[in-house]
Amino acid sequence: MYIRFKLFLKRLFYKKPIIWPILETLQGLKFALNYFYYYKLLKGEKGLSVREVNIEFASQCNLRCHFCSLDHTKAKDLISEEILEKFLKGFISDKRYGGIKRINLYNGGEVLLHPKRLEMLALIKKYKDLAKEKKMLFPEIHLLTNGMLLREKLSEDIIALDVVDLLGVSFDGGTPEAFEEMRANSNWNIFYKNIKAFDKIRKEKKSKVKMSAISCITSDKPIHTNWMHPQFQELYTLLDWYELRRLHNWGGDIENLEVPNKKYKIGCTLLMEQMVLLPNGDVTICCIDLNSKQVIGNIMETDFIDIYKCEERQKFLKLLLEGKKEQIPLCKNCETF
């Protein structure tokens, strides 16, 4: 019922674009209120505006999706236990971290490419349990994968660790042929088998881990599942929720992709509510920045809270409040703005 209602809203909005400026005006008002509350009143001393942090385990990816801006020639980095633990300690030692509601285990790279992925998950589990013992808040853990490496044994191990609250998968196109064309180096049969196996194991083990998906649909196809291949439709029935969306331009890095440039909007939820921890300890301002163009600090050199409060990030927030996104190179061509 919930999924059908979301689809109804999406169809309504796509057919009646006049609704979008109204919604974005409300989002702009929320941005302004949050800006003055968190950055003028609290000034980072009693709470953070950030609600989610993306942690990238590995900077590389095994796929070459045509609509992704990830630079595959950049350095291949893997997060270390030292860097991950430096961040996680904050949830035990600093109450300001309590506002962070979600840790997303993904960014540009494929999380399951990390050779010590289970050890990294076990480290997160350690701090999740510590927070529970101390009756402190700890974020939900969402792991997003392209599914190609999610073999049955790995699925069993991830579920047994009992640390991931939601497993997200990406599958696009609506048909096996479109999936493999859009997601170069992928194989539909492997993906289909892996996702069905994960769902079967979680049910057999009575695991509480949920499953979700984000699917990109090209503009020549409608935003619903009625026309899709039966195996696509089958996978959607296994999920707790899913989202169908159009392609976006990753901050303007994708050429020949026509998307609206929302110049009239004030503020950006991503910049206000998200930060990204990269494998080498660098921190960037949002998940659109797949190629580390807007690094604002490194947690091995600067405390995470100090990076959050840094002059550069606050300058960006102020510019967006004033409707001057063209002055921020990363943001000026971004339609997510």
Side-chain angles (χ1 to χ4, degrees):
M1 184 67 179
Y2 171 68
I3 292 173
R4 288 199 295 270
F5 179 66
K6 283 187 67 176
L7 290 174
F8 166 75
L9 290 179
K10 279 183 173 290
R11 291 174 196 168
L12 175 66
F13 293 159
Y14 277 113
K15 290 180 180 180
K16 298 185 181 297
I18 189 63
I19 294 176
W20 284 115
I22 296 173
L23 290 177
E24 287 167 348
T25 298
L26 294 175
Q27 289 177 345
L29 177 61
K30 178 185 175 184
F31 180 92
L33 291 173
N34 281 336
Y35 177 80
F36 286 106
Y37 179 69
Y38 286 104
Y39 298 91
K40 295 301 182 182
L41 182 61
L42 296 187
K43 298 182 179 180
E45 297 305 321
K46 294 184 179 179
L48 309 180
S49 70
V50 170
R51 294 292 172 264
E52 58 185 68
V53 176
N54 286 21
I55 300 179
E56 187 173 66
F57 275 19
S59 62
Q60 66 268 39
C61 186
N62 51 329
L63 300 188
R64 297 294 184 270
C65 301
H66 301 315
F67 51 88
C68 177
S69 68
L70 183 65
D71 179 4
H72 295 283
T73 66
K74 70 177 185 177
K76 305 297 189 289
D77 292 322
L78 299 170
I79 200 166
S80 66
E81 291 189 15
E82 181 185 15
I83 289 173
L84 182 58
E85 191 159 27
K86 179 79 184 301
F87 172 68
L88 294 173
K89 284 179 178 178
F91 291 98
I92 305 302
S93 61
D94 193 329
K95 291 183 179 180
R96 289 175 293 181
Y97 280 66
I100 300 173
K101 304 302 181 185
R102 195 166 85 197
I103 291 176
N104 299 313
L105 301 181
Y106 59 84
N107 200 51
E110 166 55 43
V111 62
L112 298 183
L113 278 175
H114 198 300
K116 294 185 177 180
R117 58 215 169 188
L118 292 175
E119 288 91 332
M120 298 299 132
L121 289 175
L123 184 59
I124 297 173
K125 172 66 171 174
K126 169 187 168 182
Y127 280 91
K128 191 174 187 179
D129 290 345
L130 274 173
K132 186 176 180 180
E133 289 174 15
K134 294 177 177 290
K135 297 183 179 179
M136 300 179 73
L137 296 174
F138 196 84
E140 286 192 356
I141 305 300
H142 291 199
L143 188 160
L144 178 65
T145 173
N146 60 43
M148 297 309 300
L149 302 176
L150 193 64
R151 302 292 196 267
E152 187 170 340
K153 178 62 169 64
L154 181 56
S155 292
E156 291 175 350
D157 291 339
I158 290 173
I159 289 171
L161 276 172
D162 191 29
V163 61
V164 174
D165 298 293
L166 182 139
L167 179 97
V169 293
S170 299
F171 60 111
D172 311 298
T175 68
E177 295 77 17
F179 172 87
E180 292 182 355
E181 193 280 328
M182 292 175 70
R183 305 180 72 80
N185 294 351
S186 67
N187 180 293
W188 172 256
N189 290 330
I190 292 174
F191 175 85
Y192 174 73
K193 177 182 176 181
N194 289 349
I195 303 313
K196 287 197 67 176
F198 188 93
D199 178 65
K200 179 182 178 183
I201 295 166
R202 70 165 179 155
K203 289 173 179 173
E204 289 176 348
K205 302 295 184 181
K206 295 182 169 51
S207 170
K208 294 181 181 179
V209 61
K210 297 185 181 300
M211 293 180 68
S212 70
I214 296 173
S215 296
C216 290
I217 308 299
T218 53
S219 59
D220 61 323
K221 299 293 184 182
I223 298 286
H224 59 72
T225 63
N226 296 347
W227 58 273
M228 293 185 183
H229 188 277
Q231 288 184 338
F232 265 73
Q233 295 178 340
E234 178 189 3
L235 290 189
Y236 288 128
T237 66
L238 305 180
L239 305 174
D240 294 280
W241 64 266
Y242 63 88
E243 178 184 353
L244 308 180
R245 62 166 67 160
R246 297 300 186 195
L247 300 171
H248 69 89
N249 72 359
W250 291 104
D253 280 351
I254 305 298
E255 297 180 358
N256 303 317
L257 184 62
E258 294 184 6
V259 294
N261 193 352
K262 302 173 183 177
K263 296 181 180 179
Y264 52 82
K265 185 181 171 186
I266 292 175
C268 175
T269 301
L270 291 180
L271 183 58
M272 178 65 70
E273 299 187 359
Q274 185 185 83
M275 293 171 70
V276 180
L277 174 61
L278 301 175
N280 64 353
D282 283 346
V283 175
T284 184
I285 59 175
C286 83
C287 62
I288 298 299
D289 186 13
L290 296 189
N291 297 311
S292 312
K293 293 181 177 180
Q294 204 63 71
V295 172
I296 54 174
N298 186 292
I299 65 165
M300 301 309 291
E301 302 167 359
T302 308
D303 182 75
F304 181 79
I305 300 293
D306 290 332
I307 297 174
Y308 162 86
K309 296 192 297 181
C310 74
E311 183 178 341
E312 188 174 17
R313 184 169 177 274
Q314 294 200 48
K315 174 186 173 183
F316 296 153
L317 288 164
K318 188 172 186 292
L319 286 171
L320 291 183
L321 179 68
E322 295 170 350
K324 298 176 180 178
K325 76 165 188 166
E326 71 280 355
Q327 295 186 26
I328 308 174
L330 183 67
C331 304
K332 66 179 181 179
N333 294 318
C334 182
E335 90 288 356
T336 308
F337 168 84

